[in-house]
Amino acid sequence: MKERPEPFTVDAPNVAYNRQNFEGGRFSFQQVEMVLRALQAEGHRAFVLLPWKYMQPVIPNHARYTGYSSSSRHELTPEEQSIIDKWEEEGVLGVTPFGASDDWFWMMASVSGDQGVYVVSNDQMRDHRISLLEPRPFWRWKSTQLIRFDISHAYEAEKIKSGELEEPEIRLHMPLCHTPEIQKIETKGRRSWHLPLAQEAQDEDVQSVKTEAQMASTVYIDGDKRVQQ
């Protein structure tokens, strides 16, 4: 039997509010839908984790321009409701209980099973870092389980329908195959230090730093020798 690919979870609020910090910005179901379909197009089993409050007929709007006003809300449009209905029909929607933090659910999922669930989110986890792990294990967890994403511009339904704006482009940044940190390995009395070397990304649109570790290139120091594999 062919092994099923590992599941991927979309942190819906984090994706939905990305690029929406402007007057008229809102929770964008369309952006979440686009990220979900981008994962599925690459052959991944993916599902959406959505807080209970965004399943209601009237939902809050926490786009930053509103100042997180509790009175800032909007009614679900037919298009938004149809997206939710489609997720439910496909069995790709998970809803967190009323009053619960959705962050805890996808964090737990990321460490469940043999490999855990990969999570699509740009959340920096500042609210949880101290309460979870020491800095180094916490950084390792983020670097192996979180998938970062870029959305070229906000999804604005009316402008897209009128042809004034094109649909945004989605770019996913998968975790590194190798951890980009110094490692020491001792084999048969031989001590090796593996050092990832920083290399600027060639793609000017990607604000990141690639390492030789990504390309399975290893530098180790054996005595006074510096060897690259």
Side-chain angles (χ1 to χ4, degrees):
M1 181 181 294
K2 184 178 180 180
E3 183 180 356
R4 297 181 69 187
E6 288 297 316
F8 289 66
T9 297
V10 180
D11 177 8
N14 188 267
V15 172
Y17 284 121
N18 190 270
R19 301 279 187 182
Q20 294 289 331
N21 186 24
F22 60 91
E23 186 174 359
R26 60 196 288 166
F27 186 98
S28 175
F29 287 90
Q30 291 89 346
Q31 290 180 183
V32 181
E33 166 75 356
M34 293 182 71
V35 168
L36 174 67
R37 301 310 170 189
L39 287 167
Q40 293 176 336
E42 294 184 5
H44 301 304
R45 284 191 297 128
F47 59 96
V48 173
L49 191 61
L50 188 67
W52 176 88
K53 60 187 176 182
Y54 292 108
M55 289 285 292
Q56 307 312 303
V58 179
I59 67 173
N61 184 2
H62 295 318
R64 291 187 178 181
Y65 84 95
T66 67
Y68 296 102
S69 170
S70 60
S71 62
S72 180
R73 299 176 178 275
H74 76 262
E75 294 185 5
L76 284 182
T77 66
E79 180 182 0
E80 292 170 336
Q81 185 61 58
S82 68
I83 291 175
I84 294 176
D85 294 342
K86 181 165 55 177
W87 293 342
E88 290 184 312
E89 291 171 2
E90 296 178 5
V92 296
L93 178 63
V95 181
T96 60
F98 172 77
S101 170
D102 59 299
D103 289 355
W104 291 109
F105 284 83
W106 60 255
M107 284 189 288
M108 178 62 72
S110 73
V111 295
S112 299
D114 295 334
Q115 290 184 309
V117 169
Y118 295 104
V119 181
V120 181
S121 178
N122 285 342
D123 195 330
Q124 296 302 310
M125 309 296 293
R126 297 185 182 93
D127 297 337
H128 305 291
R129 180 179 63 82
I130 296 177
S131 61
L132 288 175
L133 295 169
E134 294 297 322
R136 190 170 186 180
F138 183 80
W139 180 86
R140 284 179 176 174
W141 168 75
K142 287 206 308 180
S143 67
T144 57
Q145 298 303 129
L146 296 189
I147 298 172
R148 302 306 189 181
F149 67 91
D150 288 327
I151 298 178
S152 59
H153 55 271
Y155 191 105
E156 298 182 65
E158 295 303 321
K159 290 185 178 180
I160 291 175
K161 288 179 181 178
S162 67
E164 181 181 349
L165 190 67
E166 294 183 353
E167 287 194 355
E169 296 181 0
I170 305 294
R171 180 175 295 180
L172 302 173
H173 305 286
M174 298 297 178
L176 303 179
C177 297
H178 305 271
T179 176
E181 62 181 311
I182 296 175
Q183 300 181 59
K184 181 178 73 172
I185 297 178
E186 294 189 20
T187 306
K188 297 181 180 180
R190 180 183 181 183
R191 179 181 300 173
S192 300
W193 291 89
H194 297 254
L195 309 175
L197 303 181
Q199 179 180 353
E200 292 297 327
Q202 298 298 316
D203 190 341
E204 296 179 355
D205 294 331
V206 180
Q207 298 300 316
S208 63
V209 175
K210 292 183 178 179
T211 68
E212 290 190 14
Q214 287 177 265
M215 300 174 283
S217 178
T218 302
V219 173
Y220 68 86
I221 298 175
D222 180 18
D224 295 329
K225 296 180 181 180
R226 179 183 184 277
V227 183
Q228 183 166 333
Q229 293 182 331

